Amino acid sequence: MKRYSRRNRRRIRRRRSSLSASNWGPVLALTGTVLGVLAVIALVVFVALPKLLPLIGVEYRAPFAPTPTPAPTPVPTPTPHPMSYFVPSEAQNEVVFENSGDYKWFGDPYFYDGVMLLSAGKLVDSYAVMQDLYFFYPETRTAEQVPVTLENAHFMFPKFNEKWLIYLDARLDGGGYLMASDRTAPGAKPVLIKEIYTGQPEPMLDGDTVAWIERTGTRMDKLFVCDLNTMETTTLSMFSNSVYGQSLPSLRNGLLCWADAESGGGTGADTSVIYSIRISSSTVRTYSPGTYVHDPECDGTYSVWMDSHHAPDGALYYSKSEGEPVKIAEGVVEFGLGSHFVAYSKDEAIWAYMFDNGRTYRISAEQELAQFLGVSDDRVSWMDVTTRARDIVKFAAIPE
């Protein structure tokens, strides 16, 4: 029994030492070491570096890591045009104030800095005369009578800015006094710019300057410009036996423009030239659109005109920076230029063509018959003539 036990113990000792003593021992040890080193490297490459390098501003992507799919760039939702929210019946306003019921007629609305100036008329000796002027404040729907007195029959074409108020003190049979009042001098009496002997020319006001075209003879019309500070009047152009003497000039943003014939004769069949001059300059520019031009309006960027004397089949055109003319509409009767649109009347309705998207929008309400009155301070004014019991003046601001 003792002998067997010792032999057995010797066998056990040999088995325990046989693995390390065999050829596999070094291989397994080396393999374990390599695996350990690889594990450390993998830990550094795939765990430590991706976390640490970005902290110091170094972009790092681990080997064999899938390239991240870039998130798709979101497609911005197009911003709707402001006119897409324009509802004519909601956007329009009517001139109504406390004493408006005393007047049966209103006319010549003109906006400046959000305030309207208009004439108001009554029946006097069987004549409808516009004998009063009012400032109308749309926000409060209140009005203030302008303290000026007529010398003749009625007010025509009143306009104003921060310093000046101008108007034609007109006679019923034509002619009258073109007047100016200094709004910065309270109590000052209006002064005479020029006496008008025939016709009723519409003056254009911009800053301290007034411009108008006046009939001065049987076949002669002249374009006058007056500096209101000095009351010095200059003749800028003459039209002899020419239809262009009946075409209105335009004065805005310091730019005066008017139309004349491109070739001699002055007939309506001729193509025209639009002349323009900066009030602060002496250089006259010319633009030939290739059409007949009547009543051009220019602001330094856009030029707008009609190709007839407000005929039922007349077309309305515009050009940008004196480029190729674009026809806006046909059958246009009247129009007015705003800073970003042109408004016009057609089919007894008021429309606005937007320069930025080339689309036309109706301004007057459906089923309403409208007569165009003008554009000023980016507001369109018209007369609601659906019923003629009294004059109903409406207006709407055109959003940009």
Side-chain angles (χ1 to χ4, degrees):
M1 292 292 297
K2 292 180 180 179
R3 204 177 329 160
Y4 174 81
S5 177
R6 285 195 298 270
R7 188 183 313 125
N8 206 25
R9 284 197 295 270
R10 283 196 298 269
R11 288 178 181 173
I12 293 173
R13 282 196 296 269
R14 289 193 194 103
R15 286 180 180 175
R16 287 178 179 174
S17 60
S18 62
L19 185 60
S20 59
S22 67
N23 293 334
W24 288 102
V27 175
L28 293 176
L30 178 60
T31 302
T33 301
V34 171
L35 291 176
V37 171
L38 292 177
V40 172
I41 294 174
L43 184 65
V44 171
V45 171
F46 291 97
V47 178
L49 292 180
K51 291 184 177 181
L52 296 177
L53 290 181
L55 297 178
I56 60 174
V58 178
E59 185 177 351
Y60 176 80
R61 185 168 63 88
F64 310 111
T67 302
T69 302
T73 303
V75 178
T77 302
T79 302
H81 193 279
M83 286 300 293
S84 64
Y85 302 110
F86 188 91
V87 180
S89 59
E90 298 176 0
Q92 67 181 20
N93 297 273
E94 183 180 339
V95 176
V96 178
F97 52 91
E98 185 177 353
N99 299 323
S100 62
D102 297 338
Y103 300 96
K104 191 174 181 180
W105 296 280
F106 291 105
D108 297 327
Y110 183 86
F111 274 95
Y112 179 79
D113 198 23
V115 178
M116 176 192 282
L117 173 67
L118 78 165
S119 58
K122 299 178 180 180
L123 195 65
V124 178
D125 296 331
S126 301
Y127 291 99
V129 294
M130 312 301 282
Q131 62 182 18
D132 294 313
L133 288 180
Y134 277 90
F135 286 120
F136 175 67
Y137 303 92
E139 294 296 326
T140 60
R141 302 185 71 80
T142 58
E144 173 190 2
Q145 188 169 354
V146 183
V148 291
T149 303
L150 280 169
E151 295 187 38
N152 292 300
H154 57 164
F155 291 104
M156 293 188 70
F157 312 123
K159 295 178 173 65
F160 76 109
N161 56 28
E162 68 277 2
K163 184 175 181 181
W164 298 102
L165 165 69
I166 65 167
Y167 57 90
L168 179 63
D169 185 335
R171 294 187 287 264
L172 290 176
D173 57 353
Y177 302 132
L178 185 57
M179 306 293 291
S181 176
D182 187 348
R183 301 182 65 212
T184 64
K189 293 184 178 181
V191 296
L192 177 67
I193 299 174
K194 189 178 183 299
E195 183 173 1
I196 308 298
Y197 293 99
T198 183
Q200 295 170 329
E202 179 178 355
M204 306 299 172
L205 173 67
D206 182 56
D208 298 318
T209 306
V210 178
W212 71 98
I213 292 179
E214 177 188 345
R215 172 58 58 94
T216 59
T218 304
R219 298 182 178 181
M220 178 66 70
D221 299 274
K222 293 180 181 179
L223 171 60
F224 291 102
V225 177
C226 178
D227 183 341
L228 293 175
N229 289 313
T230 63
M231 290 297 165
E232 180 182 357
T233 300
T234 303
T235 301
L236 197 59
S237 185
M238 294 187 294
F239 310 92
S240 179
N241 194 28
S242 171
V243 294
Y244 293 98
Q246 287 77 56
S247 177
L248 291 173
S250 168
L251 178 61
R252 65 179 71 203
N253 301 336
L255 182 70
L256 174 65
C257 76
W258 68 97
D260 206 343
E262 188 169 34
S263 58
T267 66
D270 291 339
T271 55
S272 309
V273 174
I274 297 176
Y275 290 84
S276 63
I277 183 173
R278 288 283 174 188
I279 297 301
S280 59
S281 172
S282 59
T283 302
V284 177
R285 292 178 56 89
T286 60
Y287 166 58
S288 301
T291 71
Y292 180 72
V293 174
H294 185 69
D295 289 353
E297 296 190 26
C298 315
D299 64 5
T301 300
Y302 295 102
S303 299
V304 187
W305 66 93
M306 292 189 63
D307 68 354
S308 72
H309 289 212
H310 308 279
D313 60 348
L316 180 65
Y317 290 83
Y318 89 94
S319 71
K320 182 177 182 181
S321 303
E322 300 180 348
E324 190 70 20
V326 176
K327 182 185 290 188
I328 296 174
E330 295 181 341
V332 175
V333 179
E334 291 281 0
F335 74 95
L337 175 63
S339 66
H340 55 286
F341 67 95
V342 56
Y344 60 92
S345 59
K346 176 182 177 179
D347 299 329
E348 296 185 288
I350 309 300
W351 310 85
Y353 175 89
M354 310 303 292
F355 291 126
D356 60 355
N357 65 1
R359 296 186 60 183
T360 299
Y361 302 85
R362 183 171 181 137
I363 304 303
S364 58
E366 295 286 346
Q367 311 304 320
E368 176 182 290
L369 302 181
Q371 178 181 325
F372 186 82
L373 293 179
V375 174
S376 49
D377 198 25
D378 281 346
R379 290 164 173 82
V380 182
S381 303
W382 68 93
M383 192 81 72
D384 183 345
V385 295
T386 309
T387 175
R388 295 313 305 261
R390 63 183 181 89
D391 282 355
I392 302 174
V393 175
K394 294 184 177 181
F395 61 91
I398 305 302
E400 183 174 7

